[in-house]
Amino acid sequence: MLFYSFFKTLVGQSVTVELKNDLSVTGTLVSVDQFLNIKLDNIRVENEEDCPHMMSVKNCFIRGSVVRYVRLPVAAVDTALLQDAARRETQQSTTSGRAA
Amino acid sequence: MAVTNDGRVLVGLLKGFDQMINLVVSECVERVYAEDEGVEMVDLGLYFIRGDNVAVVGLVDKESDENIQFATVRAKPLSEVSY
Amino acid sequence: MADTLTATPAPAVPVPSTSVQEPLDLVRLSLDENIYVKLRGDRELRGKLHAFDQHLNMVLGDVEENVTTVELNAESQEEVVRTTTRKIDMLFVRGDGVILVSPPARAV
């Protein structure tokens, strides 16, 4: 749930999604869901000459499971907040795991 | 337009979808890209695509799509998705 | 056997956050440190760990990515191993590609 919340804070930012089929798509993050499926607007494919396949596509949905990386704008990421959240989340999941 | 996990490009009218991203596409056409010839269009008719195999779904801008000279487009087929 | 396993008493006092009780604790202790990550597809990352979850999805900062590719030289039939490196300021990594995570002490 941490990264779902994290990506929600990045809505409106420009990101580059690198897929497991080596396609890289840059666009404005429109929305994200719990599976980390991603919707992008005003997309541009890196390596346009090699990849004309998406030339006429302006916005797209990317299945979360085919994502390898998402390159993010540094300015939009609060690293301190992120680290705190990660600590809290793991603490939570381990204690609840022991209780169960 | 949908890109499948094996790298195929399918274009058609999206008639329906669900939570698992299963797709129903009518007037579906596969666009086969090759380096040594233009894009081959293969008519497939009404297609159901299982969500597991879907990598990308995109809205095609009709106007710019009609301006593409597909016979002259040369490109490697997209790679398959490998985990 | 199963009984003895499930009967392990939960610690009465909360485990201090510095101890390593389970594998992910090791990753937690690497937060804000430079780590090494080995990924599927002969990819390696070095960068500062900002966040992770139970799937090993991660956010890394100041990342250096190394991709190793093997190409067959058409003439000599020799395999040429090539490493391409690139830098990425801020990167989300999906956990399903992660093979191993190494904490700072062993990161070169």
Side-chain angles (χ1 to χ4, degrees):
Chain A
M1 240 30 186
L2 194 164
F3 289 101
Y4 169 48
S5 314
F6 169 60
F7 276 113
K8 278 203 289 190
T9 69
L10 294 176
V11 166
Q13 301 283 344
S14 172
V15 299
T16 302
V17 182
E18 206 174 304
L19 278 60
K20 286 179 182 135
N21 58 12
D22 294 329
L23 207 63
S24 291
V25 187
T26 306
T28 311
L29 186 64
V30 175
S31 69
V32 61
D33 67 14
Q34 53 170 333
F35 305 112
L36 304 186
N37 295 324
I38 287 172
K39 254 166 62 179
L40 296 179
D41 222 337
N42 294 317
I43 63 161
R44 196 179 66 245
V45 175
E46 244 171 60
N47 257 328
E48 185 90 357
E49 319 82 70
D50 294 342
C51 290
H53 313 71
M54 312 254 295
M55 246 183 333
S56 55
V57 178
K58 299 289 172 258
N59 66 68
C60 73
F61 165 96
I62 299 168
R63 198 177 151 97
S65 62
V66 304
V67 172
R68 181 184 293 133
Y69 300 139
V70 184
R71 304 212 285 269
L72 311 162
V74 182
V77 180
D78 183 339
T79 55
L81 192 75
L82 210 51
Q83 289 175 20
D84 275 356
R87 277 196 195 91
R88 245 178 292 119
E89 175 131 325
T90 48
Q91 212 85 7
Q92 235 170 39
S93 65
T94 53
T95 46
S96 65
R98 285 195 190 99
Chain B
M1 188 203 76
V3 179
T4 59
N5 284 6
D6 60 0
R8 283 194 264 194
V9 178
L10 304 170
V11 182
L13 299 173
L14 183 65
K15 289 294 182 182
F17 64 95
D18 63 17
Q19 277 276 316
M20 302 162 74
I21 323 163
N22 296 319
L23 308 175
V24 174
V25 183
S26 73
E27 297 166 47
C28 188
V29 177
E30 179 177 353
R31 294 182 178 174
V32 186
Y33 290 80
E35 281 182 285
D36 48 0
E37 55 183 352
V39 181
E40 186 188 351
M41 302 288 185
V42 183
D43 285 320
L44 300 170
L46 182 65
Y47 247 43
F48 171 91
I49 309 168
R50 193 175 148 88
D52 301 353
N53 301 299
V54 175
V56 179
V57 184
L59 176 66
V60 173
D61 183 70
K62 265 219 169 133
E63 204 179 310
S64 55
D65 199 56
E66 281 161 3
N67 289 326
I68 300 174
Q69 303 294 317
F70 283 104
T72 66
V73 174
R74 301 280 188 282
K76 276 190 190 147
L78 288 174
S79 322
E80 57 186 88
V81 172
S82 54
Y83 295 92
Chain C
M1 198 58 187
D3 279 337
T4 54
L5 283 178
T6 51
T8 312
V13 270
V15 184
S17 60
T18 50
S19 78
V20 179
Q21 284 279 315
E22 53 170 286
L24 279 183
D25 288 345
L26 197 70
V27 184
R28 180 164 46 79
L29 293 175
S30 307
L31 277 166
D32 207 22
E33 307 271 5
N34 275 302
I35 58 164
Y36 164 84
V37 184
K38 189 175 166 67
L39 295 168
R40 300 257 201 149
D42 298 313
R43 287 163 194 271
E44 300 171 298
L45 301 174
R46 284 182 176 82
K48 197 188 225 190
L49 181 66
H50 290 305
F52 71 98
D53 65 10
Q54 62 271 40
H55 308 290
L56 286 180
N57 292 325
M58 288 182 279
V59 170
L60 301 174
D62 287 322
V63 189
E64 187 182 285
E65 185 206 41
N66 281 300
V67 187
T68 310
T69 47
V70 180
E71 285 166 26
L72 199 66
N73 187 313
E75 287 162 28
S76 59
Q77 290 294 304
E78 274 176 49
E79 289 186 343
V80 186
V81 179
R82 251 217 325 228
T83 322
T84 45
T85 304
R86 60 176 174 161
K87 301 231 186 239
I88 304 144
D89 290 337
M90 193 59 73
L91 185 70
F92 166 81
V93 183
R94 196 173 161 92
D96 58 2
V98 174
I99 295 173
L100 77 84
V101 179
S102 175
R106 280 205 279 162
V108 184

